[in-house]
Structures are given as C-alpha cells and as structure tokens.
Amino acid sequence: MIEYRSLHMRQSGFTIIELLVVMMVISIFAAPFAYQHIQKFEEDRIAITIAEVNDLFQSAQNYAGKENGEWPSEADNCASAITTMSNSIYLQGFSVRSPFGTNYTTSCTTGNAKRFIVTIDAVNAGNAVLLDADLPASTVTGNIVTVSVPMPSAIPALEHLLPRDGSRPMTGALNMDDNNILNANRIVAETVLLNSIVTKNATCSTNGLVARDNVGNLLSCVSGRWQGPEGSPARMVSYFNASSCPDGWVESNGANGTRDVRGTFIRSLDRGRGLDSGRTLGSYQADRMQPITGSVSLAIEGNMGGIGSTSGAFTTGSTASLPIRAGNHGGSYGRSFIFNSGNQTRTGPETNPKNVALLACQKQP
C-alpha cells in the first residue's frame, strides 16, 4: 500500500498587522515635517499674494499719474484694469490668477475720493485673516479680502521694477516724463546730464534748483536768481604759459572788446599816489627813461684849449683842428666829446626791466 503525504511548504514575510504598525510609526515621525511643509507653503502663498496686490496698486497709481488722474479701464469701473495694464508698460507679465488658484478681480470708484479696489478669494477664512493683517485698508468677509488705495498725490516707484532696498540694479532708463522725484535722501551717480539751460543772473522760481548755462557751466537758484561759481571775473586780464587762451578767455589784442596789451608791461593805476599822475584806466604810455648825465671840465694852458677830465656818459675823443677864438688866445686845436649812455646802463631799442614773455588773455563775460 502506497501512502501519500502532503507536503506543506513553509513561507516567510510580514503580516498585514505588522505592515500597519510600521506605517503608523513612519507617519508619526513624518507628521511634523509634513506640517512644516504645509505651513511653509501657506506662508509663501500669503507673501506672494501680498506682493502681487502691492504691484497692482503701484501700477494702477502710476497709470493714474500718467493718465491725468484716471484709473486703468475706468470706463468699465476698472473691471478689466489688469488686462489694460498688462498690455502696456505698467504691469507686463502679470497673471490674473492668484496663488490660491482664484482670479484677482478689480474695480474702482470715481468722483472726489477715487479709489482702486482689488478683491481676493483666499479660499478659506484663515488665509483671509492673514492677508488682512498685512494689507492696508482691507476688509474681510469670510474668505473674501477687499483692499483699496486712493489716487496718489505723487507717483510712487514701481517696487517690482525698482526695489527700494537696492537688491536689484536697474536694467534700463527711468523716464520720469517731466514728473518729480520727491523726498530723496541721497542720489549717487557717476555723471548727471542737466537738460535745463538757463542764463546767469536771470530770475528763477525756487531756491536750490540746479541747471546749466549754454556752455555747460553749473548754475543754481540763489535768492531768486541763477548764480554760479564766480571764478575769474569778466574782463580780467591774465597771463598764460600757453600758445592759446583757455576756454572762456580771448587774446587781449584789441579785438573782441579787449585792450591791446601785447608787448607791453602792466602798471597799476596811480589813483592819487603821485608816482604816475594823470593816468586814466587803460591809458597807454610810451617808453621813456630818466635823464642820464655826465660832465666835462676844461683846462686852458697857454694858447691851447685842453680837456681836463670827463665823467658819466662823456668820454674824450681824438684831437681835431678846430678854430678857437676866445679872448686873447688863438689856437687851432681842440678835442671832440662822445656821449654814450651805454657807459652807464645796458642798452637796447627800448628801455625795459628783466622780463618773461607770456600770452595775455582777457576773460569773456
């Protein structure tokens, strides 16, 4: 008789209960991390929403400032304001969809107290309360947050394009289109181009304004008149070690309203001292010199007239046959006298002191 025995194969593994226990332990450890992630996600959604709403407000205020106090799409109570601003330079690349997955809606009021209004569906009341805490002039109804801003008295900078904390540099030109920059603490720049051209000593409206004249000199409004650094006064004559006059100066040669001082020395006006009396301002005086003196003494010996001695600018020359008839003496000999100032001074074609030749220039008005 043949006996058959059943073979029981032994298997190994986890039971369902064991797997549930392991999953429970993992969930206990993972719960804090999941909660932190969810919290961070909600905080990010709140922060992004606040930044986008502020961008909407600043863009709408910039639009109103440019468009003579009219909100974007004011004709339909600003319902399509986001589309209007997105199609222009004010709000490029902006999404109408909020981080909560709902759409921003806009509206506005008109009249004397114009306001631009943004409505946000925050999905739940908790998010709405958090938004309300960080958005000015906001109201909350359930999960709906309504925020508004007034018409600006001055045009604010676009925070998303020109952050005030200096975190990002500008990448293009800032065209203010004749508007003002107000309450700036300090402006740092490599160069500044002033387009306003004014005339020195002309009247100006506000003290402290800065402009330039037609040649580029910097002028400022002082006591109601445009003034600038005086530097050299107009019509001043000065000398330069150069072949041409600097900018703002012309050669003092008698042309262009100048005095011709070429090749002459400048002497200060006497004005009553008595050293150079009778002179007027700008009068010319030719060269001259003090008298040069000398003497000749004669000695008479017999029938001859002789030279005793000479001094100063006189010297004796050669003997010559000269008729001399003086008293009872008769003779035929005399001596010539020579006058030469070079015996006493250095001489030249004119009388002048030691000097250096420089170019004389006159300051133009």
Side-chain angles (χ1 to χ4, degrees):
M1 181 175 181
I2 300 174
E3 294 182 0
Y4 295 93
R5 294 182 180 179
S6 61
L7 298 177
H8 298 279
M9 297 183 65
R10 189 164 186 162
Q11 297 179 348
S12 62
F14 294 105
T15 66
I16 292 178
I17 295 176
E18 289 174 331
L19 289 174
L20 290 174
V21 171
V22 171
M23 292 176 64
M24 185 179 298
V25 172
I26 293 175
S27 64
I28 291 173
F29 283 105
F33 298 101
Y35 176 77
Q36 291 176 3
H37 178 74
I38 294 171
Q39 284 293 103
K40 181 65 169 59
F41 176 73
E42 291 299 328
E43 291 173 359
D44 289 345
R45 288 205 301 180
I46 296 294
I48 294 171
T49 302
I50 292 171
E52 290 183 344
V53 170
N54 286 330
D55 279 354
L56 275 172
F57 285 150
Q58 290 175 346
S59 299
Q61 287 181 318
N62 275 280
Y63 184 98
K66 176 69 174 178
E67 301 299 330
N68 299 318
E70 182 174 327
W71 294 120
S73 188
E74 195 170 290
D76 64 355
N77 291 324
C78 303
S80 55
I82 295 177
T83 301
T84 300
M85 292 188 292
S86 296
N87 292 334
S88 61
I89 62 173
Y90 298 97
L91 199 64
Q92 294 179 345
F94 188 88
S95 174
V96 71
R97 200 155 185 82
S98 76
F100 298 106
T102 59
N103 290 344
Y104 294 113
T105 59
T106 57
S107 59
C108 58
T109 60
T110 58
N112 294 329
K114 285 187 171 185
R115 297 189 74 86
F116 186 80
I117 305 164
V118 177
T119 303
I120 312 135
D121 184 351
V123 178
N124 59 60
N127 291 334
V129 170
L130 292 175
L131 286 173
D132 179 59
D134 289 316
L135 288 171
S138 60
T139 59
V140 176
T141 304
N143 58 307
I144 302 299
V145 182
T146 303
V147 199
S148 67
V149 291
M151 184 67 64
S153 58
I155 308 303
L158 288 175
E159 183 71 19
H160 61 295
L161 298 179
L162 185 61
R164 287 173 289 180
D165 60 2
S167 59
R168 297 192 305 275
M170 286 182 61
T171 57
L174 179 63
N175 185 355
M176 298 301 298
D177 195 22
D178 291 331
N179 293 300
N180 298 327
I181 297 177
L182 302 178
N183 302 320
N185 180 38
R186 184 177 63 172
I187 298 177
V188 180
E190 293 183 3
T191 58
V192 177
L193 175 62
L194 299 175
N195 291 324
S196 180
I197 298 177
V198 299
T199 303
K200 189 175 182 180
N201 294 322
T203 58
C204 50
S205 59
T206 305
N207 291 338
L209 292 177
V210 179
R212 64 181 177 92
D213 62 17
N214 60 347
V215 296
N217 294 315
L218 188 65
L219 302 177
S220 60
C221 186
V222 179
S223 300
R225 292 195 174 273
W226 289 109
Q227 303 291 334
E230 292 300 328
S232 301
R235 293 178 292 280
M236 173 183 177
V237 176
S238 189
Y239 294 85
F240 296 89
N241 185 26
S243 59
S244 61
C245 297
D247 291 341
W249 298 72
V250 294
E251 189 171 342
S252 192
N253 57 6
N256 301 309
T258 66
R259 298 191 182 279
D260 192 355
V261 299
R262 293 174 297 173
T264 62
F265 296 95
I266 302 299
R267 182 171 187 172
S268 60
L269 193 63
D270 187 277
R271 298 184 73 88
R273 186 178 181 185
L275 297 178
D276 190 29
S277 302
R279 300 289 299 280
T280 59
L281 181 66
S283 61
Y284 175 76
Q285 186 181 71
D287 56 331
R288 57 184 181 172
M289 60 185 296
Q290 289 180 313
I292 299 176
T293 62
S295 64
V296 177
S297 61
L298 299 176
I300 305 300
E301 295 181 3
N303 293 329
M304 296 291 295
I307 300 300
S309 63
T310 59
S311 66
F314 290 95
T315 58
T316 57
S318 59
T319 301
S321 175
L322 297 171
I324 298 177
R325 291 182 175 84
N328 296 326
H329 301 284
S332 59
Y333 294 96
R335 179 161 293 186
S336 63
F337 305 117
I338 301 172
F339 178 84
N340 185 359
S341 63
N343 292 333
Q344 298 296 307
T345 64
R346 291 183 293 275
T347 59
E350 62 178 2
T351 302
N352 59 265
K354 297 176 182 178
N355 62 86
V356 175
L358 296 175
L359 180 64
C361 302
Q362 183 170 307
K363 186 71 169 66
Q364 289 293 85

